[in-house]
Structure formats: C-alpha cells, structure tokens
Amino acid sequence: MHIQEPATHESEAPFSVQDSQSFPEAKDLSLENLDTCQCSQAALQMALIASGLGLWDWNLVTDKTYYDSQWKSILGYKVEEIDNDYKSFEQLVHPQDLPRIRQVLHDYLQGCIPVFEVELRMLTKSGEWKWILTCGKVFQRDKFGKPVRMVGTHKDINQDKAMSTTGCAYATQQYQLFEQLQREIAQHQSTEDQVKEKSQQLETTLDELKYTQKQLLQNQKMANLGQLVADMANEINNPVNFISSNIHTASKYAEDLIRIIELYQYYYPTPTPVIALHLQHLDFGFVKTEFFKLLWSMRACSERVKDIVFALRNFSTSDDGQMQKVDIHQGFDSVLRILQHRLKEKPDRAEIKVIKTFGKLPLIECYPGELNQVFINILTNAIDALEERMKHDHSFTPKILIHTEVVSSHLSLVNNHERWLNDKLLGKKHKVIIRIFDNGKGILPHIQRHIFEPFFTTKPVSKSQGLGLSISRQIIVEKHQGKLKCNSQLGQGTELVIEMNTTARHYAAIRKHANF
C-alpha cells in the first residue's frame, strides 16, 4: 500500500514504548521481581489487562506487527498460534469488513479523520465471529512526514455492540489517556515514587472505566425504554384510533334512536301498561341526558389518549446517530404530556402548575432524543423537589417555569475565554437559552457544587442512582458543545440553565480552537 503524506495533521512524536520483546508477560508482572524501568512497563501492561485491551504495534514499512498476549487471548489463541505479521490480522478479519477497514485506514493516513477507529468481526479459535473495536494512531514518521509506525488496541465489544456509537467515543477518550500515560512513563525518570504516582493514575482510569460502563448501561436502558415506549405507542394507537373515529358515528346512531323514542312518545302518549312500568323505573329523561354526557366524555378521553400516544412516539424517536433540525418546544410538550400524571392534582397534594414562556426559536440542530432525555431528567428533579416541599408546607403553591429565548453569541451565561467563532468568516451567530425553574426549597451551596458529579444524590438509593444530571451535562457539554449551569438559593428555588448553539459546530472548528 502506497501511503501519502497526511493533509491536515501534524507529525506525531515517535512511539515511546520499547520494542515488543521488552514487555514482561502477565505471569511475570509481580512488581517486586522487576527493576524500576520494568515496573513502569509492568504497570502499563497490567492496565491493559485490567481494561480488557489488547495491544498491537505495526511497522508500516516492513508490515511486521507485534500483537501482545492479551490481543491474542481475546480471540482465544495462544501466543505462538498467530504470527507477528499484518497478514495474520487480515486473514482473521471477516471478508465483508476488510474493504471498510482498508478505507478507514486510508482516510486516517490521508488526514481525513483524526483517529483510526473501526468495528470489525474477527475469527476466534472456536470458529465464531467476534466483534472487535480497534483504535490506532501513527506514532512515528520519517523525515518526509510519511507514516512509519502505528500502535493501537483491540477491545472485545461483543456484549455491548448495541452501544457501539457511545462505546467508540469512550474508547477514543480512553485511548488518548492511555497515550498520555504511556509517554509520561517513558519520559519521566523511573523512580519508585513516580511508579506509585502512575499506579494511582491507573486506578483513577479504572474508576473512570467503571463509571463509563455504568453510564453506558444507563444509556442502553434509556434506548431499550425508548424502543419499548415506541412499540407500546404503536400498539395503543390502532385501537384508540378505532374508538375515536367511531364515537362520532355511535353518537349519531344514539341520537337517531332517542329521536324515534321521542316520536313514539309524542304520537303515542298512552303506552301499554308494560311499557309505562319500564318508563317509570327507567326515568327516560335522566338516561337520555347522561348517555350523551357519557359519549362526549368517551370522546374527550380518546383524544387525551391520542395526545399521550403522540407524545410517547415523539419522545421515543431515534436519532440514528445523526443530528436533526427540530423544534425543541415540541420536545418540551411531549415530555410534559408524559409527566402529566406527576403534575396533576392528587388527594394528598396540589397540582403543579407549569408556566411556559417560549420565545421565537429557529429549528435547533441537535440530537432530539438525547435532548428530550435532558428535559425529562431536569423536570423530574424539579417535581421531586416540589413534592418534598409540599410534604412540609400544605399551603405551598408549586410552580415550574420554562423560558426559552435566543441571544447573540457574545452574551454567554458562563465566562468563556475561548473564541472559536470568527464573525468575519462565519457571520453573526446565536445561542438558545433554556431556563427551567422550580420554586422548591432550593439547594444548599455545599451540595450544589456536587450535583453534576456521577453517582452523587441526596435521594434514597432505591429512587435515584445519581446519574440523571451527570448524563444530562455530558449530553449538553460533550455532544452539543453547550453549557449546563445551576443557580439556586435556599428557600427561593432552583434554576437549571442550558445554553446551546442554534447550529452544531463542525469537528474541524472544535479541534482547531480546543485547548489541547
């Protein structure tokens, strides 16, 4: 394969890990048996084993490739059963995936994409196909800037294939952290104190792995819930449409029958004794009035069910991994319909009033399903806070205020020294501001500092896992490059403020102005 010089990326530093022969095997990783330099390598190897990653190191000139024992064990092979050659890799790849891998590799080496990252199927020793996520990066170039050496990892993603989109993004982040740790271990002096420091960093990384795993599970639960809601909405929609479309006809038939009875009463005012007895017990005037009321109530209820089904279908709409231009006010309306059972008046508490002051917004480019998840998380927390205050103050009038508006880009809610927009080149930009306020009891300052941290919650464990606001912040900040801020004063209430761009930033602009 002829490899041209990348078009957009600067040359990376040479790969800092020593030759593959110097890696200690997993059985020799007891730190007391190693010297200081080997301790650093052993710590790195233990991190790979603990995170379930297999390492590969490919010389693009000679095609010689080193695969560590973890890489081979993921596929069920022993160390000696796979030759250290790039062809060994291609021979194990599913034939349908091989053209895509080559295309992604070509795009990466040409500088079209920032990281080599692809999902593929590989043949295991047992004869089964296993889904693998492979990520890599050029670590060494020749004096002309042409890539010479790549290094990367393999990860078994068979179990969480349904979460592949989120998993890939996470794997890239973890691989970047792995690169940073690797360079630091190779470049800093190999002392015992530094080995302990790196070990602590590895423990932090493993903690992050555990958190991200739970976060992925939570996202998977939401995806499964969305699919279940969509299926239920479709199932309910057909009978509801039948009832709604036939109530009018049934009402007309009832009117005709009652009209005939009234005509009989007019032209035959003296019924037979049997009919007179039934009319006396029936109270025909009362039945006629109540019957029409019943039909109109049924019509109103069917329309209410249709509204709920419509809201459920909107809420469960899949993003398909693509941004869409949507009216976020419709998203709010769908979420509020779904939460109506928690907002309405109950025997033990008053109705929670929702006051909407929607500004004139353009269509917002976003992931609508995930944005609806943010809305429902914030509104659920607001309802919980209001219900908690109502338990202790029965005269309290609970309210939720939702306000939206568009402001100029420079009117940011949070001080921001990053100026990624060039008004002369891109024109004047705007941001959308969303405020969700509840007049609950508010949040204490020392608690307010932690509300966006994962697993932090003041609610009982059975009621909350402490992931709602953490996931909401990730969706707003990482997926939409926006901001999420909390303003609260004890006894006055709590306000969550979302700031987003009306149009999505392109990846190249984000990378160009990022602080790294």
Side-chain angles (χ1 to χ4, degrees):
M1 178 186 296
H2 177 66
I3 304 172
Q4 299 180 4
E5 182 177 358
T8 58
H9 298 291
E10 298 180 358
S11 299
E12 290 91 344
F15 181 46
S16 59
V17 176
Q18 298 179 11
D19 292 339
S20 60
Q21 291 82 355
S22 64
F23 271 101
E25 295 294 335
K27 64 183 179 179
D28 299 326
L29 293 181
S30 177
L31 296 179
E32 61 268 18
N33 297 328
L34 305 175
D35 58 29
T36 307
C37 182
Q38 288 177 326
C39 282
S40 300
Q41 297 173 355
L44 178 60
Q45 190 71 2
M46 284 190 289
L48 290 171
I49 295 173
S51 60
L53 299 176
L55 181 68
W56 55 267
D57 184 351
W58 179 23
N59 189 315
L60 279 72
V61 178
T62 65
D63 250 7
K64 289 296 181 182
T65 308
Y66 166 71
Y67 308 106
D68 74 347
S69 58
Q70 176 75 3
W71 188 97
K72 298 176 182 179
S73 67
I74 290 175
L75 301 175
Y77 294 100
K78 297 180 180 178
V79 174
E80 65 274 8
E81 291 179 325
I82 297 180
D83 295 334
N84 288 332
D85 192 291
Y86 180 73
K87 292 181 180 179
S88 301
F89 163 73
E90 289 199 340
Q91 291 172 354
L92 295 174
V93 173
H94 195 289
Q96 295 178 357
D97 297 340
L98 200 52
R100 177 164 48 86
I101 297 168
R102 290 171 176 169
Q103 182 62 48
V104 174
L105 179 62
H106 176 269
D107 291 345
Y108 168 64
L109 294 177
Q110 292 301 312
C112 300
I113 54 178
V115 177
F116 172 65
E117 176 180 287
V118 65
E119 294 177 359
L120 59 139
R121 290 163 289 181
M122 296 190 71
L123 187 64
T124 65
K125 187 175 181 180
S126 62
E128 299 177 348
W129 293 106
K130 176 176 284 191
W131 279 100
I132 298 294
L133 171 67
T134 182
C135 303
K137 192 173 184 181
V138 172
F139 266 79
Q140 186 175 353
R141 298 181 184 273
D142 61 18
K143 62 182 180 179
F144 302 106
K146 293 184 178 180
V148 173
R149 192 174 182 184
M150 283 184 69
V151 68
T153 59
H154 272 201
K155 181 179 180 181
D156 180 355
I157 59 169
N158 242 19
Q159 296 299 322
D160 55 356
K161 183 62 177 66
M163 301 179 288
S164 58
T165 303
T166 308
C168 286
Y170 164 71
T172 304
Q173 296 171 359
Q174 294 305 312
Y175 183 68
Q176 292 173 349
L177 178 58
F178 163 75
E179 292 176 345
Q180 180 182 354
L181 291 175
Q182 185 185 59
R183 287 194 296 269
E184 290 179 358
I185 291 174
Q187 293 172 359
H188 288 76
Q189 59 180 352
S190 300
T191 64
E192 184 177 354
D193 291 340
Q194 287 181 333
V195 170
K196 290 181 180 179
E197 180 184 353
K198 302 311 172 187
S199 298
Q200 183 62 42
Q201 291 181 3
L202 292 172
E203 290 178 7
T204 303
T205 302
L206 292 177
D207 290 339
E208 292 178 357
L209 283 168
K210 293 177 182 178
Y211 161 63
T212 306
Q213 182 183 24
K214 291 186 178 181
Q215 204 170 37
L216 292 174
L217 290 174
Q218 180 73 9
N219 289 339
Q220 179 64 15
K221 288 179 182 178
M222 289 299 298
N224 292 338
L225 178 60
Q227 185 60 48
L228 177 62
V229 167
D231 293 341
M232 289 179 62
N234 288 331
E235 289 295 323
I236 296 172
N237 192 48
N238 292 332
V240 168
N241 282 337
F242 173 80
I243 294 171
S244 178
S245 60
N246 285 284
I247 279 183
H248 178 74
T249 304
S251 299
K252 187 176 182 304
Y253 290 161
E255 289 176 1
D256 292 341
L257 291 173
I258 290 174
R259 179 61 179 162
I260 290 174
I261 295 173
E262 290 175 339
L263 289 172
Y264 267 101
Q265 287 180 325
Y266 179 78
Y267 289 105
Y268 300 96
T270 307
T272 62
V274 176
I275 295 176
L277 180 62
H278 277 79
L279 287 175
Q280 182 180 355
H281 290 294
L282 180 62
D283 191 355
F284 179 71
F286 174 79
V287 170
K288 179 176 68 174
T289 302
E290 291 301 314
F291 184 58
F292 281 118
K293 288 182 179 179
L294 179 61
L295 288 173
W296 282 107
S297 297
M298 291 172 64
R299 177 179 294 182
C301 288
S302 67
E303 292 299 324
R304 168 65 180 149
V305 175
K306 286 177 66 176
D307 287 343
I308 294 174
V309 170
F310 179 76
L312 290 174
R313 294 174 73 175
N314 281 349
F315 178 76
S316 60
T317 299
S318 172
D319 297 327
D320 294 329
Q322 300 293 329
M323 280 195 165
Q324 304 174 29
K325 289 188 174 181
V326 299
D327 181 355
I328 63 172
H329 292 160
Q330 291 182 357
F332 265 119
D333 290 337
S334 297
V335 169
L336 290 172
R337 287 193 190 101
I338 293 171
L339 293 176
Q340 188 61 39
H341 68 287
R342 295 200 61 189
L343 297 170
K344 65 183 181 180
E345 183 179 1
K346 296 181 180 180
D348 59 339
R349 69 161 177 79
E351 175 190 7
I352 298 176
K353 295 182 179 180
V354 178
I355 302 172
K356 298 182 293 185
T357 54
F358 288 163
K360 188 175 181 181
L361 304 185
L363 296 180
I364 306 301
E365 192 172 3
C366 64
Y367 297 98
E370 297 191 19
L371 197 58
N372 285 344
Q373 182 182 344
V374 173
F375 296 158
I376 204 167
N377 286 342
I378 295 176
L379 287 170
T380 299
N381 281 345
I383 294 172
D384 289 341
L386 293 172
E387 288 180 337
E388 184 65 26
R389 181 167 181 176
M390 282 188 282
K391 289 180 183 179
H392 304 94
D393 185 358
H394 298 290
S395 62
F396 169 64
T397 302
K399 293 180 183 179
I400 293 177
L401 309 179
I402 304 175
H403 176 81
T404 63
E405 63 178 327
V406 173
V407 300
S408 298
S409 293
H410 66 281
L411 298 177
S412 176
L413 298 175
V414 181
N415 291 332
N416 186 8
H417 300 293
E418 173 193 351
R419 297 194 61 181
W420 71 279
L421 288 170
N422 187 326
D423 288 344
K424 293 181 180 179
L425 295 177
L426 301 180
K428 189 175 182 180
K429 299 296 178 180
H430 295 87
K431 295 179 183 292
V432 58
I433 307 298
I434 304 168
R435 302 176 186 271
I436 303 174
F437 171 81
D438 69 81
N439 62 338
K441 63 181 181 181
I443 305 174
L444 292 169
H446 71 278
I447 294 178
Q448 190 177 159
R449 289 193 292 268
H450 301 286
I451 62 171
F452 294 113
E453 295 178 3
F455 309 115
F456 178 82
T457 180
T458 58
K459 304 173 187 176
V461 178
S462 59
K463 190 173 182 179
S464 173
Q465 295 181 348
L467 286 172
L469 289 179
S470 174
I471 291 176
S472 297
R473 186 169 195 174
Q474 182 192 40
I475 292 172
I476 296 298
V477 176
E478 297 182 16
K479 306 260 333 227
H480 294 86
Q481 288 78 52
K483 299 170 186 175
L484 179 59
K485 181 182 178 183
C486 175
N487 301 316
S488 184
Q489 187 173 355
L490 195 62
Q492 300 297 319
T494 302
E495 180 186 57
L496 271 295
V497 186
I498 299 170
E499 176 185 305
M500 292 173 51
N501 296 288
T502 54
T503 56
R505 301 186 188 184
H506 295 290
Y507 181 85
I510 299 172
R511 182 176 178 84
K512 180 178 179 181
H513 295 277
N515 294 322
F516 53 82

